[in-house]
Each structure stands twice: as structure tokens, then as C-alpha cells.
Amino acid sequence: MAYPTDRLATWFVTGTSRGLGLDLVRQLLGRGDAVTATTRSTERLLTALGDGVDTSRLLPLTVDLRDEEQVAAAVRKTTERFGGLDVVVNNAGYGYLAAVEETGERDVRDMLDVQVVGVWNVLRAAIPVLREQRGGHIVNVSSVLGLTAVPGWALYCAGKFALEGLSEALAAEVAGFGVDVTIVEPGYFRTDFLTRDSLALPETTTGHYPAIREMVAQHLELQGKQLGDPVKGAAAVIERVVTGEGPLRQLLGSDSHAYATAKVQALRDNLDATAATAPATDHPAAA
């Protein structure tokens, strides 16, 4: 059983002080579920939730996801406070816009530490709990840019592509323990993801990529005009978990679906173009 039907559930959600994570926490508390919400600033989270939200079943924790011991302690505090753990949502992340040539070593390590190492730390701490109880649900929030890549988003895509591969393998590994896995792939949502609070830029740029500079400017201007509604997005994620019905990948937004559809067609065209030449590197068939 992936989701409890005889009691309120306990959720562990990362990246909760803004955006989709904040809306998830708000809606889960409204349902009466228990929530451990990790963030870089519990003060910012509580302020964002406001006075109208019942926080009696909220455990807000300041956690550096890159620190394995901090993550393990957060999962342990969750089970001690609420008596168990049912759903894990790996949502923490941020954007980064730059050409590959402009992306520094520290930028790469910081991004992958959050988007890959941080997720792995959470999974290592949480999976033993879910496996032992023979049930649970893991939600890894990726992006449509975990399926397709566009210029200027190389580093962000690298992290999300890694998360996609990790999640596919994980889904097969834990299925036998009654643990479900969902990869969420949002398009552009009307959160503050495209503000300078959530979007990192390189310290220095070159004059060789004017199209990327133009794209960055357009994205900053897009803030507040994105297609996706984060309230609806959070509700869709919750519904997927509660019902247990749906495919491995949950695309959110018509823009996400369009990007993914174009990528599938491009892959199909590539496969068709190499169908005749691919076998040329095989060993000759045994006589």
C-alpha cells in the first residue's frame, strides 16, 4: 500500500519556503496531514504560510540537503514526532542560466549538490523506513527540462536529466517493497522561480552568446506571466499520491506536454535515421 487509507499521512517535503513546495505544505496542512518541511529558512517558511494556517502538525526544519547527517537527522525527527513516514517529496532546487563556456566549476558543483546529491541523501535516509513498512511514495520534482534541453539551461538540465535517470532506476528497485515513485515534470509555473531569488546567473559572461543574453532578459520579464498555476500544480501532485493512479511521469502544464512531445518526435526521427547503420557495429552473427 503506497498511501494510507486508515489514517492521516505524514509527508517529508524539501524546498518549502516558496513556489510549488510552499503550496504543497499549505494544502497538506489544510488536509490535516502531518508535514516535515525542510528549507534554508524556517522563518521565511512560517512567514509565507501566515497566521491563517494551522501549523500544529508541521515540523519546520532548517536543513542543508548537501549534509548527509542533517538529512538523516531530519528524517529521524519526522518519525519520532509523527510516528512514521509515508510520502517523500524532493522539491528543492533553483535555476541557472548561462552558456556552458560561462559556467564555473563552483556553479556546477553547487547545482549538482542540490539537485542530485541532496536528493540522494534524502532517499538514503527515507527508503529504509518505507521499505521496512512495505509502503510509501517518493515524488521527485524534475522539470520538462529533464526531458529536453535548450541553450542556456545546460547546467539546470544536467541536474534534472540526472534526476530522471535516478528516478527511473529507483522506481524499479523499490516497487517490490510497495513503494511508488513519481517524476513530476512541470513547465513554467507562476512562482518566483524566474526571479533573482531563485535564478542564479554567472559572475561573468562573454560577448559570444547574444541569444542567451536575450533569452535571460526575456525570462526575467516573464515573471508573473507564466502559464502554470502552482496551486493547481500542488493539488495535482497530492491527487496523484493519494489516489496512487497515474504513470511514472506526471507532466504539469500544456507547455510541458508540448516540449516533451517535440522531444519524443525528435528521438523518433533520430531512431529512424540510424536504424540501418546502428547494427553495423555488432559482432557478426554466429554461423
Side-chain angles (χ1 to χ4, degrees):
M1 180 179 66
Y3 193 82
T5 57
D6 57 345
R7 57 177 172 79
L8 297 173
T10 297
W11 295 61
F12 184 99
V13 186
T14 71
T16 57
S17 62
R18 54 167 64 99
L20 183 65
L22 176 61
D23 278 300
L24 274 171
V25 172
R26 185 179 287 116
Q27 293 184 36
L28 290 170
L29 293 176
R31 287 171 47 86
D33 289 339
V35 182
T36 292
T38 80
T39 174
R40 290 177 295 176
S41 171
T42 56
E43 180 181 1
R44 186 169 60 207
L45 166 62
L46 294 173
T47 299
L49 286 173
D51 297 330
V53 176
D54 181 1
T55 57
S56 59
R57 290 178 62 79
L58 173 67
L59 177 60
L61 296 175
T62 300
V63 177
D64 183 348
L65 297 175
R66 301 169 299 178
D67 187 317
E68 186 174 11
E69 293 184 1
Q70 286 190 33
V71 173
V75 171
R76 187 167 58 250
K77 290 175 183 176
T78 300
T79 58
E80 290 172 352
R81 167 76 180 274
F82 300 120
L85 175 61
D86 301 296
V87 187
V88 175
V89 182
N90 286 300
N91 173 69
Y94 62 94
Y96 184 91
L97 289 177
V100 170
E101 181 183 348
E102 299 166 336
T103 305
E105 179 185 8
R106 187 70 263 163
D107 299 320
V108 174
R109 293 185 183 278
D110 287 345
M111 175 65 75
L112 298 184
D113 275 350
V114 172
Q115 300 222 87
V116 183
V117 177
V119 171
W120 229 297
N121 286 340
V122 172
L123 293 174
R124 275 198 300 264
I127 288 174
V129 178
L130 305 181
R131 172 173 47 76
E132 184 67 22
Q133 69 191 21
R134 311 296 290 189
H137 202 129
I138 296 167
V139 178
N140 289 338
V141 180
S142 178
S143 165
V144 69
L145 294 184
L147 292 175
T148 191
V150 294
W153 288 89
L155 179 54
Y156 181 77
C157 290
K160 292 304 188 184
F161 268 62
L163 182 60
E164 295 272 339
L166 159 63
S167 301
E168 281 195 30
L170 174 68
E173 291 175 2
V174 299
F177 304 122
V179 179
D180 199 2
V181 174
T182 299
I183 309 170
V184 178
E185 294 159 343
Y188 288 104
F189 269 72
R190 202 168 297 180
T191 66
D192 61 359
F193 182 75
L194 294 181
T195 67
R196 294 186 183 274
D197 288 335
S198 299
L199 190 64
L201 299 173
E203 291 185 5
T204 59
T205 60
T206 76
H208 302 300
Y209 302 98
I212 291 179
R213 301 287 84 76
E214 181 179 356
M215 182 269 291
V216 171
Q218 290 173 345
H219 275 69
L220 292 174
E221 292 174 0
L222 183 63
Q223 177 59 32
K225 307 182 186 89
Q226 298 97 319
L227 183 63
D229 182 340
V231 175
K232 293 179 179 178
V237 171
I238 293 171
E239 181 180 11
R240 167 67 180 89
V241 173
V242 171
T243 63
E245 297 176 357
L248 172 64
R249 288 180 163 83
Q250 182 180 28
L251 280 83
L252 299 180
S254 56
D255 52 350
S256 176
H257 196 273
Y259 272 111
T261 300
K263 178 58 179 283
V264 170
Q265 184 58 53
L267 283 173
R268 171 54 59 191
D269 292 344
N270 198 135
L271 291 171
D272 291 345
T274 57
T277 58
T281 56
D282 295 347
H283 280 290

